[in-house]
Amino acid sequence: ATPQLLKADVGENRLYSKSTPLHWATGEKLEDFALEQWISLQGDLVHVRFRMSYSGEDSHAPRHQEMPAVFLDPSLSELVLYQGDSPWAEGPLAKKQPGQKNEYFRIPEHWAAFVNGEGVGVGVCVPAADQITCYRFRGGADSDCSYLAPISTFGILPGMTFEYDAYISVGSATELRARFEPLSKKAATKSDAG
């Protein structure tokens, strides 16, 4: 089964889609959910605005929600992120080698990246996420990957709409951090202003 595309729009440097998602384990269409995404190119960044709308009547218990799930080439094998207590103060970045089971890390700067042996890779910044889950799958048969997902934990309630922004970029960890810093700070200022 494939997700049902309800609406699509393409413009210069932007895409929009609205679809009915599938349950990740069963493949069943989730008719009471709608997923929308707006994708635009902004210089060295891909900006994706996501919206999930729930029209069902059941309340779902709080669970980790991937914001979004990102699957990358396995050659991007080293996870880079900031884990200290003073975000955006140029503290040292942590480097990790995730295993095949989900691992969880705090992301006080709201971003993480998988990089290759030369230190270049793909980074994801989600100002609304303070944590990621990640792993590296090495099962062969062209299924190997490096996976990361910024996460937030919440329940899904009747009539709920949830929106967030994600930014994706390619470069060295230093370049990615510099690109993501103003986005994270802008989101924090917006949040503080209410």
Side-chain angles (χ1 to χ4, degrees), residues 10-49:
V10 177
E12 187 174 334
N13 291 330
R14 67 175 172 78
L15 299 168
Y16 167 79
S17 69
K18 182 175 183 179
S19 59
T20 301
L22 302 178
H23 187 285
W24 69 271
T26 67
E28 172 189 358
K29 281 188 182 176
L30 300 175
E31 299 288 348
D32 45 9
F33 286 89
L35 298 180
E36 294 175 272
Q37 59 184 355
W38 294 260
I39 304 170
S40 61
L41 298 176
Q42 299 175 354
D44 293 327
L45 296 164
V46 175
H47 175 209
V48 187
R49 176 112 185 119

Side-chain angles (χ1 to χ4, degrees), residues 42-45 88 111 121 123 125 167-184:
Q42 299 175 354
D44 293 327
L45 296 164
W88 308 116
W111 72 276
C125 175
Y167 301 89
I168 303 165
S169 192
V170 175
S172 70
T174 302
E175 291 168 330
L176 295 170
R177 191 181 209 183
R179 286 181 201 139
F180 294 149
E181 181 177 9
L183 303 169
S184 185

Side-chain angles (χ1 to χ4, degrees), residues 35-105:
L35 298 180
E36 294 175 272
Q37 59 184 355
W38 294 260
I39 304 170
S40 61
L41 298 176
Q42 299 175 354
D44 293 327
L45 296 164
V46 175
H47 175 209
V48 187
R49 176 112 185 119
F50 290 97
R51 178 186 299 150
M52 180 276 303
S53 302
Y54 176 57
S55 61
E57 297 179 7
D58 295 329
S59 294
H60 300 272
R63 300 267 191 266
H64 287 320
Q65 307 295 333
E66 298 171 314
M67 300 173 35
V70 179
F71 294 89
L72 300 167
D73 189 87
S75 66
L76 304 175
S77 60
E78 186 171 61
L79 181 71
V80 179
L81 63 161
Y82 175 74
Q83 293 189 289
D85 294 324
S86 300
W88 308 116
E90 299 185 31
L93 296 173
K95 296 179 180 181
K96 309 281 185 182
Q97 293 287 332
Q100 292 201 136
K101 292 185 179 182
N102 282 75
E103 297 180 37
Y104 295 86
F105 298 104

Side-chain angles (χ1 to χ4, degrees), residues 151-169:
I151 55 176
S152 186
T153 303
F154 56 88
I156 297 176
L157 306 174
M160 180 179 182
T161 298
F162 181 76
E163 296 184 43
Y164 71 95
D165 294 292
Y167 301 89
I168 303 165
S169 192

